Amino acid sequence: MKRRSILTGVLLGAAVVATSRPAVAHVDYVTDGPGAALDAFAFLIEVLSNPINAAIFGVSGLAGVVGIAAYLWIRPTIADIVILREKLAGYTDLVPWMLRLAVGLPLVGAGFQGYLFAPTVSFDPSANPLVRLLFIGLGFFILFGLATRITTAIGLLTYLWALTVDPGVVLAMEYVPAFLALLVVGGGRPSADDMLHEVASTEGTYYGRIDPVHHLKAFLDDVTDPFRPYVPTVLRVGMGVAFVYLGLFQKLADPGSGLLVVEKYNLTAVVPVDPGMWVVGAGVTEMLVGLALIAGFFTRGAAAASFVLFTTTLFGLPDDPVLAHITLFGMASAVFTMGAGPISFDHWFGRPAVSDEEPVVPAD
């Protein structure tokens, strides 16, 4: 029974990846203009009224429900998964470093290439040198982990400002949860903040005599410490909202633009289904992954699936801007490392402890 349920889950995951190759592409990043104006509801009905499409959706949905139900009913303690969770828990202290890379690199790229967070919202670097310098400076400071919380706060304010300049910046909404998480965890280690604080707080050091702010870092560490357990929640919910937005608004609500992507990359030659099925399948897949992340439902599995989808998307769509997806890559890595955290289905529905000495095992 256990082997059958595991096999079902593996086959389902493979099917989702195989049929959703362009799922996490930002449509606006790879198309030159809006697609045909189509009635979204009528388009959905037309696609699902096709018997073959309906059968694919029905069988896939049933297989998914059966696989999940079987796992929840059995909730096995598999030694491999237990060891994996314990190993991942040892990487938690590296999450700030993951997030700094995930935010810092695309900010530097945005500054040099001349766009406000989302590649579709560009500015002229020669006409706006201060904006360019701001993005490059924010990126490098975050990469080095120097004054991380202060820099991150400036970055968050910059995003809110950019949103007022052009609402299209909403395409890069993943920056918000990443910034919020960094405000809580700080630079972590390795970082300039950690190194300088160690030197400055050691009695007898020359740097300690001139550094006026190392006490501020200690104060901020104490203030944000109670919020650290909620960092996984912030990241997975923020990532989930981004997925739902991409699936609902960029594909299901605007199928014309999705069809442009299918046509541009000849995706029907990759998986021989009609173009409408590609668009609807991609949109539904993104929404399901996003809802799973928001609910904290098999969180590590959803994060791993999203990471695979990002990778296949970048290989499948060669002109999709890599820098624009680094933040999501980093967030997926952090969520996979930390799991669901509190306020999640996984936390609530974990396998009960089999003894007083054993903790509850999360369902992810």
Side-chain angles (χ1 to χ4, degrees):
M1 178 69 73
K2 292 181 180 180
R3 291 180 180 177
R4 285 200 298 271
S5 66
I6 295 171
L7 179 60
T8 299
V10 171
L11 292 176
L12 176 61
V16 169
V17 172
T19 60
S20 308
R21 192 171 182 180
V24 293
H26 291 70
V27 171
D28 291 355
Y29 292 174
V30 294
T31 55
D32 297 326
L38 300 175
D39 183 282
F41 184 74
F43 179 82
L44 181 63
I45 294 299
E46 180 182 355
V47 170
L48 296 182
S49 63
N50 182 306
I52 296 177
N53 294 345
I56 293 174
F57 266 97
V59 172
S60 300
L62 181 61
V65 171
V66 170
I68 291 171
Y71 182 86
L72 292 178
W73 179 60
I74 298 171
R75 284 183 286 172
T77 303
I78 303 173
D80 307 58
I81 296 177
V82 173
I83 294 171
L84 177 62
R85 286 196 184 105
E86 292 175 350
K87 192 65 178 178
L88 288 171
Y91 297 150
T92 302
D93 66 319
L94 298 178
V95 166
W97 177 67
M98 296 179 191
L99 294 176
R100 284 177 19 234
L101 290 176
V103 173
L105 287 172
L107 283 177
V108 172
F112 277 112
Q113 295 183 19
Y115 62 84
L116 302 177
F117 297 100
T120 52
V121 184
S122 60
F123 67 91
D124 184 355
S126 60
N128 300 275
L130 292 181
V131 175
R132 184 183 195 185
L133 183 62
L134 171 64
F135 273 80
I136 295 174
L138 288 173
F140 275 119
F141 268 65
I142 290 175
L143 282 174
F144 294 141
L146 182 60
T148 306
R149 288 192 177 97
I150 296 173
T151 305
T152 300
I154 297 173
L156 183 58
L157 292 175
T158 302
Y159 179 87
L160 297 176
W161 164 77
L163 198 59
T164 65
V165 173
D166 190 327
V169 174
V170 74
L171 285 174
M173 65 175 70
E174 62 270 13
Y175 276 95
V176 174
F179 280 142
L180 292 175
L182 279 172
L183 279 174
V184 175
V185 299
R189 49 181 292 269
S191 70
D193 287 342
D194 185 61
M195 292 186 296
L196 294 176
H197 178 71
E198 183 67 23
V199 175
S201 59
T202 301
E203 187 177 353
T205 59
Y206 290 104
Y207 179 71
R209 300 173 186 174
I210 61 174
D211 176 46
V213 298
H214 69 276
H215 295 295
L216 175 62
K217 180 185 184 304
F219 170 76
L220 292 175
D221 286 342
D222 292 338
V223 169
T224 57
D225 189 63
F227 302 101
R228 285 178 177 266
Y230 298 98
V231 168
T233 305
V234 170
L235 288 175
R236 66 172 171 78
V237 171
M239 189 175 168
V241 169
F243 264 95
V244 171
Y245 175 83
L246 292 175
L248 180 58
F249 291 101
Q250 285 220 305
K251 295 179 180 66
L252 295 181
D254 186 14
S257 295
L259 289 173
L260 285 180
V261 178
V262 176
E263 180 183 359
K264 178 179 179 180
Y265 298 101
N266 194 23
L267 295 177
T268 54
V270 179
V271 177
V273 295
D274 68 71
M277 182 63 177
W278 265 104
V279 175
V280 174
V284 170
T285 300
E286 283 183 342
M287 287 191 62
L288 290 177
V289 172
L291 292 173
L293 288 167
I294 291 171
F297 183 77
F298 295 125
T299 307
R300 284 195 171 100
S306 67
F307 198 96
V308 172
L309 291 174
F310 292 143
T311 305
T312 55
T313 295
L314 293 178
F315 280 106
L317 310 182
D319 55 349
D320 199 20
V322 176
L323 277 176
H325 294 86
I326 287 180
T327 304
L328 285 170
F329 267 109
M331 291 173 65
S333 301
V335 171
F336 184 74
T337 299
M338 296 184 293
I343 319 176
S344 65
F345 178 91
D346 291 338
H347 184 74
W348 167 66
F349 209 74
R351 180 185 61 75
V354 297
S355 67
D356 293 337
E357 290 77 23
E358 186 197 46
V360 172
V361 178
D364 60 355

